[in-house]
Amino acid sequence: MTQSLKGKVAIVTGGSRGIGRAIALMFAREGADVAFNYHRQAGAAESLEQDILALGVKCDKACVDIRDFASVKDWIAGVKERLGGIDILVNNAGIVQDKALMLMTPEDWLAVIDTNLTGMFNVARACIVTFLKQKSGQVILVSSVSGVVGLPRQTNYSASKGGVNAFTKSLAKEVAAYGVRVNAVAPGYIETDILSTLSDQQRDAILKNIPLGRFGCPDDVASCVKFLVSEAAQYITGQIIQMDGGLAIR
Ligand code: NDP
């Protein structure tokens, strides 16, 4: 099997579980050395590290809160030194804290904005100078259809992901002349821990609105990322790719 990313270094935020884990493993299978961070679940991070190393590439794991600008800066500088560079950044770490606006507290609002939006700024900011200097690099942001169409009880989350989408387009225009591409994937409902709070009734109601008739899986998102960083996608930048089984077709 040809490994399309052999010799590259890919960073994945929130790699320890769910979508980030699938993306990190996709990179390792494609031959890239992988750096990832996590926040709380050290056991999940250790398990991923073992799985990545078993694929014969280097792995650099760190416990870093993406909300903290200084910690992120140190982490990225360390990865660059330990793995010898950075070629791809996937900003994936994110949380939900769903509530009707009338019940939402300032803490609910800030937790989601700080993680999903400011966290993304922190990581992209820490990588961008390297990408500009080397005149190559790829940024992939994990957004959500919630940021495109808006979903009830997600004003904080929809606002954060709408911000991610605008950030994608703005940064893509800013850095295109340096050979750096910036794209986002906007998944619909993907089977990860984030969906574990849904009741069977809620799941059935959601499924009725998904034309392809199933929830997505983390590998669906990893496949889309694999395409976006491939040679086949070299003329694509500034796009928000919806991958939601048709959920948000309007
Ligand atoms: P999970 O809850 O399964 O995993 C979230 C990951 O982010 C974990 O690795 C977690 O680390 C990490 N993380 C959370 N907060 C921080 C933080 N402050 N600093 C560093 N790492 C952090 O989520 P999913 O895989 O479902 O979601 C991944 C991305 O995909 C998110 O951006 C989400 O918004 C987006 N998305 C998900 C959809 C879905 O249906 N699942 C749909 C659309 C978009 P730890 O394990 O240590 O907690």
Side-chain angles (χ1 to χ4, degrees):
M1 190 185 72
T2 335
Q3 290 185 309
S4 60
L5 299 174
K6 202 164 174 49
K8 303 279 185 196
V9 173
I11 297 182
V12 183
T13 69
S16 53
R17 291 185 289 121
I19 293 170
R21 185 176 211 282
I23 294 172
L25 285 170
M26 176 278 291
F27 282 137
R29 279 193 294 271
E30 289 302 314
D33 293 330
V34 181
F36 74 90
N37 77 325
Y38 65 101
H39 187 211
R40 293 202 171 93
Q41 299 202 17
E46 268 155 39
S47 144
L48 176 64
E49 181 183 35
Q50 293 312 315
D51 290 348
I52 290 174
L53 291 173
L55 289 163
V57 296
K58 289 185 196 156
C59 179
D60 193 283
K61 137 174 95 61
C63 179
V64 178
D65 185 342
I66 56 158
R67 294 171 298 182
D68 187 273
F69 183 81
S71 309
V72 168
K73 194 175 169 209
D74 288 350
W75 171 48
I76 299 294
V79 167
K80 206 176 147 186
E81 205 174 297
R82 291 187 292 274
L83 297 185
I86 319 168
D87 300 289
I88 300 166
L89 165 66
V90 178
N91 189 89
N92 160 79
I95 59 166
V96 287
Q97 214 146 302
D98 296 353
K99 239 172 234 180
L101 183 64
M102 60 185 272
L103 299 174
M104 195 175 284
T105 63
E107 290 75 23
D108 295 323
W109 172 263
L110 283 178
V112 171
I113 297 294
D114 285 352
T115 307
N116 298 3
L117 196 53
T118 308
M120 174 199 60
F121 160 76
N122 291 340
V123 184
R125 177 67 181 80
C127 293
I128 201 69
V129 176
T130 300
F131 289 167
L132 294 176
K133 278 190 183 157
Q134 68 196 21
K135 291 201 162 31
S136 67
Q138 303 220 41
V139 181
I140 306 285
L141 304 160
V142 180
S143 179
S144 165
V145 292
S146 183
V148 180
V149 297
L151 291 176
R153 302 181 68 250
Q154 288 199 329
T155 49
N156 51 359
Y157 186 73
S158 293
S160 73
K161 297 298 189 177
V164 170
N165 295 344
F167 182 101
T168 303
K169 295 180 202 174
S170 174
L171 185 62
K173 284 185 180 167
E174 186 176 308
V175 299
Y178 295 83
V180 180
R181 295 191 298 113
V182 185
N183 289 293
V185 291
Y189 290 94
I190 308 294
E191 292 276 16
T192 69
D193 294 344
I194 271 188
L195 293 197
S196 61
T197 53
L198 294 177
S199 66
D200 287 348
Q201 215 177 2
Q202 285 170 317
R203 288 176 67 94
D204 289 347
I206 291 166
L207 270 178
K208 283 193 187 119
N209 287 316
I210 302 178
L212 285 182
R214 67 168 177 89
F215 290 105
C217 64
D219 282 337
D220 289 323
V221 186
S223 297
C224 188
V225 173
K226 182 177 165 184
F227 166 70
L228 285 172
V229 301
S230 73
E231 286 297 321
Q234 291 304 305
Y235 201 50
I236 298 178
T237 197
Q239 300 306 303
I240 290 105
I241 312 288
Q242 280 177 227
M243 38 158 332
D244 57 6
L247 174 75
I249 298 171
R250 287 288 180 268

